Amino acid sequence: MATNGCNGNGKAAGAVVVPEIKFTKLFINGEFVDAVSGKKFETRDPRTGDVLAHIAEAGQADVDLAVKAAREAFEHGKWPRMSGYERGRIMGKLADLVEQNTEELAALDGADAGKLLLLGKIIDIPAAAQMLRYYAGAADKIHGEVLRVSGKYQGYTLKEPIGVVGVIIPWNFPTMMFFLKISPALAAGCTIVVKPAEQTPLSALFYAHLAKLAGIPDGVINVVPGFGPTAGAAITSHMDVDSVAFTGSTEVGRLIMESAARSNLKTVSLELGGKSPLIIFDDADVDMAVNLSRLAIFFNKGEICVAGSRVYVQEGIYDKFVKKAVEAAQNWKVGDPFDVTTNMGPQVDKDQFEKVLKYIEHGKSEGATLLTGGKPTGDKGYYIEPTIFADVKEDMKIAQEEIFGPVMSLMKFKTVDEAIERANCTRYGLAAGIVTKSLDVANRVSRSVRAGTVWVNCYFAFDPDAPFGGYKMSGFGRDQGMAAMDKYLQVKSVITALPDSPWY
């Protein structure tokens, strides 16, 4: 790594740490190559707004080459034809390589996405390796069923890899999203074309390099950085892509479904936006609830699809909660994500920075009470103060639309029934949180809230074994767990005549 000014211990002295950037080209058929057009685009450091690197920009021609390589690897290559055990061994080698490069990978995501370096090293990168190993263990456990077919027949099912998978991932968790999608696809025997977000392409290219070192055959993983309307659209409309897995906005999810329908009716799985409620009941431990609510919205600077952006507090503890929540937000340190004392880094880019500030202005103009924050902070970069609004109404923009930033909307409720009704007053259904000491309340509310994941007395409790996905306009299909394998497998029925069987 380098800095623009260091002391004798190699630590930044009034300057940001910039990691060495080794890979900036497209990765197609096992090689790093320039874009056919020769075009490049900038990826910027959100801490300063400065250019980090110039990245090869994929277009239609590059996606065609990547899909061709993936199709060749699927139809004639070793990956789908080797045993699940052998695929799992190679995936395990990739997991080992990811762990061995933890420092460098965490630094790339820190500089490219404004993510905390420390959390990258202890959460994001280890979670990626864990995800790989989970699905490496699943690769040799893909089973069909024996069917009890009527008549003189024998029947069974096979589960076969779906083929070439297009993967389009967002910028908020570049590493975790990369492996959330490719791990089950690899285990299933698919080949893959990945388009990372244009804001955060660096770690995906590094992972392509590691995949080759691990022994994943050429053409199985291809990485094509570029923009949604060009590279992304080329993947979703491609007649030789069999399935698309996407995480991102609901608006783009609609476009992907339209594109899939207009082309070859490829299957689509979507993990989209959220406006998750965190419901805190009178019997909750207030300090614990405050800490959970702060984590739920300010973790990763609010750039997380399951952010607990709507906080409902029962009237008996509301005033006490509000006072402590404001104090907690004011103690949440905003600064350089490479500083171990920092709690929250910058928004990912200028567009997101301006979008969040615009929503804060909407909150003010619509009559919500700004309790703390609400302003940019720092001399440069895309930093915003942790922000809390009270007196928020359900029809306000800040209560209905996904902000994807550090903005909490506080609301008071009286009864369990009211909490349930208001929690479901959203077009989204990705996650929800419940804080209570009552098992009856926890069970009732968790079964009543229309969300794909419900956390009780915790938040962000993810695990590779726990399926993750949304209800309503938060999408469909599941990541994580064995359920995620279904997206990348076809089920085939085989029926064989048995004219002389002694039994049927």
Side-chain angles (χ1 to χ4, degrees):
M1 294 187 194
T3 69
N4 296 323
C6 293
N7 59 30
N9 297 319
K11 295 180 180 178
V16 296
V17 177
V18 180
E20 180 184 1
I21 296 167
K22 299 175 181 176
F23 305 104
T24 59
K25 296 183 179 183
L26 313 180
F27 187 79
I28 298 175
N29 204 25
E31 302 292 338
F32 284 101
V33 296
D34 291 318
V36 171
S37 67
K39 286 184 178 181
K40 296 182 179 182
F41 66 94
E42 298 173 344
T43 185
R44 291 181 175 269
D45 188 332
R47 299 171 295 173
T48 61
D50 297 338
V51 175
L52 274 173
H54 293 85
I55 308 296
E57 180 183 335
Q60 178 72 58
D62 306 291
V63 170
D64 287 344
L65 291 173
V67 172
K68 182 180 179 181
R71 176 57 62 189
E72 177 67 19
F74 184 75
E75 299 293 346
H76 305 292
K78 295 184 294 184
W79 190 253
R81 289 160 188 82
M82 67 175 62
S83 68
Y85 170 75
E86 187 60 27
R87 283 200 301 273
R89 284 189 62 203
I90 295 172
M91 291 171 68
K93 291 178 185 177
L94 177 54
D96 293 341
L97 289 170
V98 169
E99 286 184 332
Q100 291 166 21
N101 290 273
T102 293
E103 293 278 346
E104 190 166 0
L105 291 162
L108 286 176
D109 281 349
D112 214 13
K115 296 177 66 66
L116 299 186
L117 178 65
L118 177 62
L119 293 190
K121 292 191 287 186
I122 66 175
I123 297 179
D124 292 46
I125 311 304
Q130 183 186 11
M131 191 72 64
L132 270 168
R133 292 190 178 112
Y134 177 89
Y135 286 105
D140 61 355
K141 300 171 184 66
I142 300 170
H143 305 299
E145 297 178 311
V146 176
L147 306 175
R148 188 68 171 174
V149 180
S150 299
K152 300 178 180 182
Y153 304 99
Q154 170 187 282
Y156 62 91
T157 62
L158 296 172
K159 290 187 176 181
E160 301 178 342
I162 199 167
V164 176
V165 176
V167 169
I168 303 175
I169 56 175
W171 40 258
N172 56 332
F173 285 87
T175 287
M176 294 174 72
M177 289 295 171
F178 185 89
F179 288 104
L180 192 71
K181 303 295 188 187
I182 75 156
S183 299
L186 288 174
C190 296
T191 59
I192 307 163
V193 178
V194 183
K195 191 201 87 66
E198 62 269 23
Q199 296 89 341
T200 54
L202 298 179
S203 59
L205 293 170
F206 200 110
Y207 292 126
H209 162 68
L210 294 183
K212 177 143 188 169
L213 293 182
I216 292 179
D218 293 350
V220 173
I221 295 178
N222 305 273
V223 179
V224 286
F227 295 88
T230 49
I235 290 171
T236 61
S237 64
H238 206 289
M239 295 297 291
D240 218 14
V241 171
D242 299 297
S243 182
V244 170
F246 171 74
T247 293
S249 72
T250 299
E251 292 72 24
V252 174
R254 288 180 187 273
L255 295 175
I256 288 172
M257 288 188 70
E258 291 174 6
S259 181
R262 290 195 179 106
S263 53
N264 60 344
L265 287 172
K266 57 179 65 67
T267 64
V268 175
S269 62
L270 303 174
E271 193 263 281
L272 306 175
K275 196 68 182 174
S276 300
L278 176 60
I279 309 167
I280 301 167
F281 290 90
D282 279 344
D283 64 345
D285 179 295
V286 174
D287 290 331
M288 185 268 274
V290 166
N291 287 332
L292 269 185
S293 68
R294 180 173 67 173
L295 177 71
I297 185 58
F298 300 138
F299 174 72
N300 205 55
K301 52 266 180 37
E303 293 175 348
I304 181 165
C305 51
V306 292
S309 53
R310 296 185 295 142
V311 179
Y312 295 93
V313 184
Q314 201 162 15
E315 59 183 0
I317 60 169
Y318 180 83
D319 292 339
K320 183 178 181 182
F321 178 92
V322 168
K323 182 173 184 264
K324 291 194 172 191
V326 169
E327 292 172 356
Q330 292 170 347
N331 291 329
W332 197 249
K333 181 181 175 183
V334 181
D336 186 346
F338 281 59
D339 182 343
V340 295
T341 67
T342 293
N343 299 120
M344 193 170 88
Q347 309 309 128
V348 71
D349 63 8
K350 185 178 181 182
D351 287 345
Q352 187 63 21
F353 172 77
E354 292 176 347
K355 175 186 173 185
V356 174
L357 291 175
K358 186 175 180 180
Y359 271 111
I360 291 171
E361 291 306 310
H362 280 306
K364 294 177 186 175
S365 65
E366 289 184 334
T369 302
L370 180 63
L371 299 180
T372 188
K375 302 187 298 297
T377 183
D379 298 328
K380 58 184 176 179
Y382 309 127
Y383 297 92
I384 296 176
E385 296 173 338
T387 300
I388 300 178
F389 280 102
D391 304 313
V392 179
K393 308 300 182 188
E394 299 293 348
D395 60 352
M396 292 181 178
K397 281 182 179 290
I398 59 171
Q400 286 297 315
E401 298 182 13
E402 185 177 44
I403 299 173
F404 230 61
V407 181
M408 178 192 294
S409 292
L410 266 176
M411 290 168 274
K412 186 192 300 185
F413 72 92
K414 293 182 179 182
T415 67
V416 175
D417 286 339
E418 180 191 353
I420 292 168
E421 181 179 355
R422 295 175 68 183
N424 286 328
C425 185
T426 172
R427 65 180 182 268
Y428 297 113
L430 196 54
I434 302 166
V435 186
T436 181
K437 294 175 183 175
S438 169
L439 183 60
D440 289 341
V441 170
N443 283 334
R444 180 182 172 192
V445 177
S446 62
R447 284 160 172 74
S448 301
V449 172
R450 300 281 295 164
T453 297
V454 178
W455 290 297
V456 180
N457 295 328
C458 59
Y459 213 85
F460 298 138
F462 291 104
D463 188 89
D465 201 40
F468 175 73
Y471 286 24
K472 300 189 283 188
M473 290 179 68
S474 289
F476 49 84
R478 291 295 181 266
D479 293 315
Q480 300 188 153
M482 294 303 290
M485 297 286 289
D486 294 339
K487 298 187 296 188
Y488 306 110
L489 294 167
Q490 290 277 30
V491 178
K492 176 184 288 182
S493 293
V494 180
I495 313 295
T496 305
L498 290 177
D500 299 318
S501 175
W503 56 270
Y504 301 106

